[in-house]
């Protein structure tokens, strides 16, 4: 089974099993990784924003849809290897994937 390492906002790393054909967001939720996913994958938020650590891996991912691009534009702390976690489906080729969680999301602004 592929494994994925999440790098949390405080720098802590969590390596977890990531079954094929579920989204990275679902992998995070199964493992109590604090990735929000407010709209549960319906491309109506940007709280599942993740940053792919390796540019080459990012380049190999299927292209984001226009809807994903639009939502990413709203994400806090957007980088050039940002994606929405709910749109990345796990498969064997993603074994060893390393993703960072952004320090904040737009739904969690500090009052
Ligand atoms: Fe809302 Fe991914 S969970 S866009």
């Amino acid at each position: 089974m592929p494994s994925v390492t999440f790098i949390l906002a405080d720098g802590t790393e969590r390596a977890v099993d990531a079954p094929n054909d579920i989204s990275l967001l679902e992998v995070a939720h199964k493992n109590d990784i604090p990735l929000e996913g407010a709209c549960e994958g319906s491309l109506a938020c940007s709280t599942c924003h993740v940053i792919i650590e390796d540019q080459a891996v990012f380049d190999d991912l299927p292209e984001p849809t226009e809807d994903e691009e639009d939502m990413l534009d709203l994400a806090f702390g957007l980088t050039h290897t940002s994606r929405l976690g709910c749109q990345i489906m796990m498969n064997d080729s993603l074994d060893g994937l390393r993703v960072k969680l952004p320090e904040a999301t737009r739904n969690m602004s500090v009052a």
Side-chain angles (χ1 to χ4, degrees):
M1 185 184 304
S3 91
V4 171
T5 299
F6 288 93
I7 304 159
L8 308 187
D10 67 359
T12 313
E13 297 196 6
R14 291 266 320 271
V16 299
D17 289 337
N20 283 340
D21 303 320
I22 71 169
S23 72
L24 200 54
L25 177 66
E26 289 168 281
V27 173
H29 284 176
K30 276 182 191 301
N31 291 282
D32 294 323
I33 305 281
L35 183 60
E36 196 176 322
C39 78
E40 293 176 359
S42 53
L43 281 177
C45 74
S46 59
T47 60
C48 62
H49 173 205
V50 294
I51 299 159
I52 311 295
E53 196 180 57
D54 187 332
Q55 175 81 51
V57 174
F58 176 83
D59 290 342
D60 281 348
L61 289 172
E63 293 280 312
T65 62
E66 216 167 291
D67 286 345
E68 182 180 347
E69 300 264 21
D70 287 348
M71 277 300 140
L72 272 172
D73 283 341
L74 303 176
F76 182 86
L78 187 68
T79 76
H80 59 278
T81 59
S82 289
R83 290 295 301 260
L84 293 180
C86 67
Q87 300 301 304
I88 298 176
M89 295 306 285
M90 287 311 305
N91 63 65
D92 287 337
S93 72
L94 291 178
D95 186 28
L97 179 67
R98 290 172 58 82
V99 295
K100 287 191 220 168
L101 303 194
E103 280 167 29
T105 66
R106 217 173 264 289
N107 281 15
M108 290 169 26
S109 59
V110 180

